[in-house]
Amino acid sequence: MSKTFTRRSFLRITGALGAAAGLTATISACAPASNDSGMQSSAPEGPVKDDGTIEAAISYELGTNGYDPMTTTSALTVAVNWHTFEGLTEMDPATGEIYAALAQELPKSGDSTSVDVKLRDGAMFHNGDKVTADDVVFSFERVLDKENKSLYASFIPFIKSVTKKDDMTVTINTEYPTGVLADRLAVVKIVPKKVVTADAKAFDANPVGTGPYKMTENGANKVVKFERFADYNGSRPAKAAKMVWNIIPDSSTRINSLQSKSAQAIDSVPYLNIDQLAATHAVESKQGFSVLFAMFNNDASNPFAEVKNRQAFLYAIDIDRVLETGMKGQASATTSFLQENHPNYNKAKVVYTHDEDKAKKLFEETGLKKLRMLCTDHDWVRQCTPLIQESLKGVGIEVDFTERKSADVYNTIDGKPEAYDVVIAPGDPSVFGKDPDLLMRWWYAGDTWTETRMHWKGSESYTKVQKLLDEGLMASDESDAQKKWNELFDLISETVPLYPLFHRKTPTAWDSATLSDFKPIDVTGLSFLDVGSTK
C-alpha cells in the first residue's frame, strides 16, 4: 500500500465533488428547453458576438479589503479573481474540476516530497510582463509568510517551500507526500513580483493577473468592469470582449435589472422571487456546502466557553421553522459538518434538532439567562435571525440582538474577546475547494478564526482537531482518511466552537436568450468563464 494517496485514488473521493456538488445538485426551479410554459429557450436567440458584452448584477459589496488574492475572501472579490487571476492549477467554479492553469500540466506528487512544475509557455501578466518562476516563488512565499496572516496558508500546511529551478520551472517541496497537491495549488494565485513590491496598496485596488479578463474599473463606484486580455494564452479564453458587473445589494433592484434586461444574470435570487422569475428567465437553485453558522465566543471569560451553553443554543433553535419560513425550503438542516449530498458525508454523533426541554435544562445548569447575538445583514440571513432570536426567547433567554454589515461584524469582533457572545453569519469555503480537509481547515485551523475570532485556539478540543486534520491529510488511503474525517465530524458536533445551522441552496437567474454556455454555481457569485454573449 502506498504511503499516501495517488492523485487518481484521492480524486475518487474528492474529484467526484464536481459532479455531486456542482452538476447533480438539487434543482428547485430550472428553465425548460422549450417555451411551452412561457419560459426562455436554453439556447441563445442570436449569434454569440466576438465583441459582445456580458452584463451582470452581483449582490455582495466590495467590503474593506481589495482584490489581493493573498488576503481577500469576500464574495465579490473572489468572483472577480476567478476571471482575472490564475494559480498553477485552478478549480472550475461550476464543476469543481481541477485543471492546469499556469502550470503546463497537473502536477503528480505520488510518493514524492519534491515536485517540479513547469510554467505555461508564453504566459503574460496584464501589464505585458512575462510570468517567471520568480513570480511563482514570490506568490507562494507571501502566502506562507506568517507575518502576512493569509487565510490561505492553512490550506497548504504540507508545503515546506517553493524554489526556482530555472526561469520557467519551480520545485515544490512538501513535508510529506499528499494526493491533494494539485487541488491545493489552486488557492495560491500567481502575482507579479515587480508590481506588488513596488506598491502593494495600489495592486490591492487595481490588481494585475494573468486571467482571461483584465479589470478596468474596480467597484469603488458600484460597478466592476473588465475587458478581454488579448495576450491570454491559457485554456479559458474570454468569449466576450467586455464585462460589466453592477454591484446591487438590494434584491428588488437586482431583480428589476434582470427583468429590464440591463443585466443578463444575477446572483442571490431571493427565495420568495424564484417562482416569479422562473416564469420568464432561467432560474436554478443548487445545493452545495454554503452555510449559515453560529460562531461562539470561546474565551475563558465568556459564558460560551462552557460547551453546555453552546449546545443549548443549538438545541433551542426551531430549525424546521427557520427552514420553512426563513429559507422557503431552500436549505437542508445540518446533520453533520458536510451537507448530505457531499460524497464524504457521514452523519455526526450529535445532531441538533429542536429540543426546548434539553435547551432549558442545559441553560439552567449553567445559569445563563442573557446573551449578545451579532448578525450579518444579508437579505436571506435577515429572514432567519429574528426566528433564531424568537427560539431563544422561547427557552427563557434574553437576546441583545444586533445586525450589521458583514465587514462591520468582523471589524467589531476581531481581536476583541469582550465584543460578542454569538455571531450568526454566512460562509462558504467551498469556493476554494471541495474536499473535507479544506472545508474544515477554513474555520478550525489557522489563527484568524480560531484565535482572533472565536478565541478557541489552545483549548483541548482545538488540539484534538488539529491532530485529526493532520492525520487525515497524511492517511495512507482514502478509507483511512474518511475515518479521520468522520472522527472530526463527531468531535466538532460535540464541541461546536463554530457550527453550521443549515446548508443552503444557491439560486441564480439568467437570460438564456442572450448568454451562451452559462452555468449556475453552488457557491456565492457568478462565473462567466467560457460564456459568450449575443449583446
Side-chain angles (χ1 to χ4, degrees), residues 23 80 455 491 508:
L23 296 178
V80 168
H455 313 291
L491 176 59
T508 305

Side-chain angles (χ1 to χ4, degrees), residues 331-390:
S332 57
T334 297
T335 57
S336 187
F337 176 75
L338 298 178
Q339 77 274 19
E340 292 186 14
N341 73 334
H342 193 291
N344 300 107
Y345 168 84
N346 193 70
K347 188 175 181 178
K349 182 177 182 180
V350 181
V351 176
Y352 293 93
T353 56
H354 185 217
D355 191 330
E356 288 191 347
D357 291 339
K358 186 173 288 188
K360 288 178 179 178
K361 181 176 183 297
L362 289 169
F363 279 136
E364 286 171 1
E365 289 177 10
T366 67
L368 186 67
K369 298 183 182 299
K370 181 179 180 179
L371 62 85
R372 297 166 296 165
M373 191 168 78
L374 181 58
C375 309
T376 66
D377 68 348
H378 302 91
D379 54 2
W380 63 270
V381 176
R382 295 176 71 180
Q383 303 302 311
C384 300
T385 47
L387 301 173
I388 295 171
Q389 182 183 20
E390 288 180 23

Side-chain angles (χ1 to χ4, degrees), residues 407-440:
D408 290 339
V409 166
Y410 295 111
N411 287 336
T412 297
I413 70 169
D414 280 356
K416 303 167 188 172
E418 74 284 356
Y420 82 101
D421 295 326
V422 184
V423 164
I424 304 294
D428 190 3
S430 69
V431 297
F432 310 115
K434 306 290 189 180
D435 67 87
D437 177 82
L438 182 148
L439 297 176
M440 286 186 283

Side-chain angles (χ1 to χ4, degrees), residues 40-342:
Q40 297 189 35
S41 168
S42 60
E45 294 179 353
V48 172
K49 296 180 179 179
D50 185 61
D51 62 349
T53 298
I54 292 173
E55 298 173 321
I58 193 160
S59 59
Y60 285 81
E61 297 185 85
L62 184 57
T64 56
N65 291 328
Y67 295 87
D68 189 335
M70 178 185 75
T71 54
T72 193
T73 59
S74 71
L76 172 63
T77 53
V78 167
V80 168
N81 288 353
W82 289 335
H83 302 81
T84 58
F85 282 100
E86 294 177 288
L88 294 174
T89 66
E90 280 297 319
M91 182 185 73
D92 186 292
T95 67
E97 177 189 359
I98 300 296
Y99 60 92
L102 281 174
Q104 278 196 2
E105 60 182 11
L106 287 175
K108 300 176 176 63
S109 59
D111 293 328
S112 177
T113 58
S114 180
V115 180
D116 288 342
V117 179
K118 189 170 180 59
L119 301 182
R120 186 176 78 219
D121 289 336
M124 306 282 285
F125 287 110
H126 295 154
N127 65 350
D129 289 347
K130 184 179 179 181
V131 181
T132 69
D134 290 325
D135 297 307
V136 177
V137 171
F138 172 74
S139 299
F140 275 90
E141 286 182 343
R142 66 198 295 261
V143 168
L144 292 170
D145 185 348
K146 291 183 178 179
E147 292 297 316
N148 291 330
K149 298 180 180 179
S150 174
L151 285 164
Y152 300 100
S154 65
F155 294 154
I156 49 174
F158 46 80
I159 292 183
K160 184 188 301 183
S161 65
V162 177
T163 58
K164 176 181 177 180
K165 185 173 185 179
D166 57 46
D167 285 347
M168 294 300 291
T169 310
V170 296
T171 300
I172 299 174
N173 302 295
T174 62
E175 299 284 354
Y176 45 83
T178 177
V180 300
L181 178 64
D183 304 64
R184 296 299 174 81
L185 293 180
V187 306
V188 178
K189 308 307 177 189
I190 306 307
V191 301
K193 179 179 179 180
K194 182 178 74 174
V195 174
V196 177
T197 54
D199 192 336
K201 288 185 177 180
F203 171 79
D204 189 37
N206 295 285
V208 176
T210 63
Y213 287 96
K214 177 181 179 179
M215 190 176 72
T216 58
E217 191 166 335
N218 70 0
N221 295 315
K222 302 298 183 182
V223 62
V224 184
K225 294 183 179 180
F226 310 76
E227 64 182 28
R228 176 189 286 130
F229 178 40
D231 290 328
Y232 175 80
N233 69 344
S235 62
R236 313 293 293 270
K239 291 189 176 181
K242 297 180 179 180
M243 291 197 296
V244 178
W245 294 10
N246 286 297
I247 301 171
I248 307 178
D250 180 73
S251 57
S252 297
T253 307
R254 200 163 60 251
I255 290 169
N256 183 63
S257 72
L258 182 67
Q259 294 174 324
S260 66
K261 299 187 182 299
S262 62
Q264 295 163 279
I266 64 172
D267 72 336
S268 299
V269 177
Y271 299 119
L272 284 171
N273 298 99
I274 287 178
D275 290 343
Q276 169 200 346
L277 280 178
T280 55
H281 291 79
V283 182
E284 191 166 329
S285 199
K286 306 194 78 167
Q287 179 69 65
F289 176 79
S290 179
V291 304
L292 184 70
F293 63 79
M295 178 174 68
F296 301 101
N297 187 339
N298 290 259
D299 186 78
S301 64
N302 191 278
F304 283 91
E306 168 57 64
V307 68
K308 290 181 179 179
N309 283 330
R310 305 197 295 269
Q311 293 173 337
F313 182 98
L314 297 172
Y315 281 123
I317 298 172
D318 187 347
I319 196 65
D320 289 340
R321 184 172 178 235
V322 172
L323 296 180
E324 180 180 351
T325 304
M327 295 297 292
K328 306 303 177 186
Q330 293 289 313
S332 57
T334 297
T335 57
S336 187
F337 176 75
L338 298 178
Q339 77 274 19
E340 292 186 14
N341 73 334
H342 193 291

